[in-house]
């Protein structure tokens, strides 16, 4: 569900007409709905809280990589959400947005020594270790500080899942995590160090997962490992279940519900007496955002192909070029007439700057406003200034009020960031 609806025929973000935002902010621009963020977090929090015996004092930690805007993070932080981070920069963003350090998880396959030191210094909840060599480096950094950080071993259960091969993270050939057959020994080795406290196991097998079966298989693998570690006399008090539950980009109605997801996790973890952690990203943010764009022109060829040329490009919304991702495109104020087939393209000088082929839309003309739906996750965070195009701005709406929460830089500001070499 989202809070982008038509009022008097035109699309609005909660109580704010998108036409008005386009007039004030320009296009392209991302627009986020506070009500949608709040609703999605509340659904997951309520679902998890309904299973206290199995899931314990469960942590919901938003995957900052999905949408790192400070106002989005602050909105979730005020609701009680933690943060799943994969860099020092993301930790700093979460802290600045009001997330307490003891609700921040630090993951990532390539943490530098400096990043590990920073995470230890600020006192994050736990550091998810993804390899034996990382454990050795972490212990060395912690020893230099006389610290003993809580850690979890991220397990690669050889269960890959996701909406595309490029967002699958739990397969045998993926770079993430420790192979399951090596994790036990690594956990035991960590427990012998005075500068690491292993508290649990973690996994994350992919993104945009549309079935509970692979998730349940991964959770059961963590359960089995927990029992094995405990049988060896090792303490396991937390299980980090990652994220990955899919959202209805195509309008699907058969996706697993949030309630069914939480109930499945509770069923698998029942009796373990652990604290669970969930790390949703797109589940909270995807349908909370749209990318507002304007039609530059319609190019019609003699063979009948019709290109809808938009002012948003792949540098603004990378997912279709990167993952072959689908985003519904809707006119902000549809015109009357027979629908037509359009290829949706942007202005970037790349053949991959195509959002969709043969999309059926009402008649479109230059100047029309359109909105890419479900663009609140992995949208603005992946944007760039390719072709020397200014970064797309971001707007947060709350009821009938709105604010620019990242402005579009001017061309002068873009150029001033690059001082010319003194010999030129």
């Amino acid at each position: 569900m989202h809070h982008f609806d038509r009022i008097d025929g035109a699309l609005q973000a909660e109580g704010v007409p998108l036409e008005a935002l386009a007039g004030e902010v320009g296009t392209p621009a991302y627009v986020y709905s506070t009500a949608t963020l709040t609703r999605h977090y509340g659904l997951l929090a309520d679902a998890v809280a309904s299973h206290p015996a199995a899931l314990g004092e469960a942590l919901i930690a938003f995957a900052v990589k999905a949408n790192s805007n400070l106002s989005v993070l602050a909105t979730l932080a005020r609701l009680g959400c933690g943060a799943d981070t994969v860099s020092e920069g993301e930790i700093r963003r979460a802290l600045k947005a009001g997330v307490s350090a003891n609700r921040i998880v630090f993951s990532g396959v390539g943490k530098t020594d400096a990043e590990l030191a920073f995470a230890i210094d600020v006192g994050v909840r736990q550091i998810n270790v993804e390899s034996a060599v990382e454990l050795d480096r972490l212990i060395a950094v912690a020893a230099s500080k006389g610290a003993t950080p809580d850690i979890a071993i991220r397990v690669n259960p050889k269960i890959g899942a996701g909406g595309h091969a490029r967002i699958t993270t739990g397969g045998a050939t993926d770079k993430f995590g420790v192979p399951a057959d090596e994790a036990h020994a690594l956990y035991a080795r960590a427990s012998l160090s005075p500068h690491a406290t292993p508290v649990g196991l973690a996994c994350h097998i992919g993104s945009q997962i549309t079935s509970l079966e692979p998730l349940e298989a991964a959770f059961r693998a963590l359960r089995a490992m927990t029992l094995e570690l405990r049988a060896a006399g090792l303490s396991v008090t937390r299980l980090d279940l990652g994220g990955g539950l899919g959202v209805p980009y195509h309008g699907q109605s058969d996706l697993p519900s949030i309630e069914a997801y939480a109930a499945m996790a509770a069923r698998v973890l029942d009796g373990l007496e652990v604290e669970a952690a969930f790390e949703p990203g797109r589940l909270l943010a995807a349908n909370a955002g749209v990318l507002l764009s304007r039609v530059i022109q319609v190019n019609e060829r003699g063979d009948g192909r019709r290109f809808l040329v938009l002012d948003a490009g792949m540098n603004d919304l990378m997912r279709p070029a990167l993952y072959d991702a689908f985003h519904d495109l809707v006119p902000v104020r549809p015109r009357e007439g027979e629908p037509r087939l359009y290829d949706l393209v942007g202005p970037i000088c790349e053949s991959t700057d195509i959002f969709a082929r043969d999309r059926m839309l009402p008649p479109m003309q230059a100047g029309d406003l359109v909105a890419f739906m479900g663009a609140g996750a992995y949208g603005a965070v992946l944007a760039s200034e390719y072709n020397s195009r200014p970064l797309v701005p971001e707007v947060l709406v709350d009821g009938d009020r709105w604010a620019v929460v990242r402005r579009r830089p001017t061309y002068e500001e873009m150029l001033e960031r690059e001082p010319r070499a003194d010999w030129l």
Side-chain angles (χ1 to χ4, degrees), residues 4-312:
F4 297 92
D5 299 305
R6 293 194 183 279
I7 306 295
D8 296 328
L11 199 63
Q12 294 198 174
E14 300 187 27
V16 180
L18 290 181
E19 291 171 323
L21 288 179
E24 293 284 342
V25 181
T27 56
Y30 280 96
V31 182
Y32 306 127
S33 161
T34 296
T36 307
L37 290 167
T38 302
R39 183 177 188 275
H40 289 176
Y41 176 79
L43 286 174
L44 182 58
D46 289 347
V48 169
S50 66
H51 302 281
L55 302 178
E57 294 291 329
L59 172 70
I60 298 175
F62 177 66
V64 175
K65 62 181 176 291
N67 188 320
S68 62
N69 184 276
L70 286 174
S71 291
V72 169
L73 298 180
T75 298
L76 293 170
R78 290 187 177 187
L79 298 172
C81 194
D84 166 44
T85 63
V86 294
S87 71
E88 179 178 333
E90 288 192 350
I91 296 174
R92 289 181 180 273
R93 280 183 173 271
L95 292 170
K96 189 172 180 63
V99 181
S100 61
N102 64 5
R103 296 181 68 78
I104 296 176
V105 176
F106 187 24
S107 302
V109 72
K111 310 176 192 74
T112 67
D113 287 359
E115 289 179 314
L116 291 170
F118 179 78
I120 292 170
D121 287 342
V122 301
V124 300
R125 171 186 172 90
Q126 72 189 41
I127 299 173
N128 288 351
V129 173
E130 304 216 15
S131 66
V133 66
E134 183 187 329
L135 175 62
D136 293 338
R137 290 175 42 244
L138 172 62
I139 288 173
V141 171
S144 72
K145 296 177 169 295
T148 309
D150 286 354
I151 70 167
I153 301 298
R154 177 173 174 176
V155 179
N156 182 322
K158 298 182 181 179
I159 301 170
H164 191 279
R166 293 174 187 164
I167 52 176
T168 297
T169 58
T173 61
D174 293 320
K175 68 179 181 179
F176 302 97
V178 179
D181 56 359
E182 300 175 19
H184 187 131
L186 193 64
Y187 198 99
R189 179 150 68 87
S191 69
L192 298 175
S193 172
H195 296 293
T197 302
V199 294
L201 301 169
C203 75
H204 176 71
I205 62 171
S207 191
Q208 189 54 18
I209 300 171
T210 57
S211 167
L212 292 182
E213 291 181 4
L215 290 165
E216 180 167 352
F219 298 171
R220 289 197 177 279
L222 290 187
R223 178 187 178 92
M225 290 189 63
T226 298
L227 295 175
E228 291 172 4
L229 290 168
R230 287 176 174 174
L234 299 169
S235 174
V236 181
T237 60
R238 300 177 192 166
L239 288 183
D240 183 338
L241 304 178
L245 189 63
V247 301
Y249 286 114
H250 293 265
Q252 305 101 308
S253 60
D254 58 346
L255 292 178
S257 69
I258 290 174
E259 293 79 9
Y261 171 62
M264 177 275 289
R267 185 174 66 252
V268 174
L269 271 55
D270 186 44
L272 286 183
E273 297 184 353
V274 293
E275 290 184 4
F278 298 85
E279 295 167 349
R282 80 178 72 242
L283 187 67
L284 302 188
N287 289 328
V290 301
L291 175 60
L292 186 60
S293 181
R294 192 180 294 276
V295 177
I296 296 175
Q297 62 194 31
V298 179
N299 295 348
E300 296 197 41
R301 291 183 175 171
D303 62 0
R305 188 159 292 279
R306 189 178 292 112
F307 294 94
L308 191 68
V309 184
L310 306 173
D311 65 0

Side-chain angles (χ1 to χ4, degrees), residues 34 66 123 146 161 218 258 318 330 353 391:
T34 296
I258 290 174
M318 189 70 173
V330 299
D353 189 29
L391 276 177

